[in-house]
Amino acid sequence: MMEYRFNFTPRLVALGLFTGVALLVLLFSLGFQLGVRMAAESPAPAPVAHERVAAAPKAAP
């Protein structure tokens, strides 16, 4: 059976920390850009309920 032994050298730990921080920074900037883009969009006007009711024909009693 093969056995692998990983030794965490200071260089490997520093590389892992750097890539973790870089990933967090990139995710934060992506979320920030999406938030700015969503805030800049104007919301679509919602249909008003009473206009649809007023346009419906009334039934004769």
Side-chain angles (χ1 to χ4, degrees):
M1 184 186 322
M2 298 179 80
E3 185 176 317
Y4 294 101
R5 292 188 183 188
F6 295 104
N7 48 353
F8 293 102
T9 62
R11 182 178 173 187
L12 183 62
V13 171
L15 183 65
L17 289 174
F18 175 74
T19 55
V21 170
L23 177 66
L24 290 176
V25 168
L26 288 173
L27 286 174
F28 177 79
S29 61
L30 175 66
F32 185 79
Q33 290 294 325
L34 288 175
V36 167
R37 203 176 277 182
M38 287 173 62
E41 293 178 357
S42 60
V48 182
H50 71 286
E51 289 178 358
R52 286 184 283 156
V53 172
K58 296 183 179 180

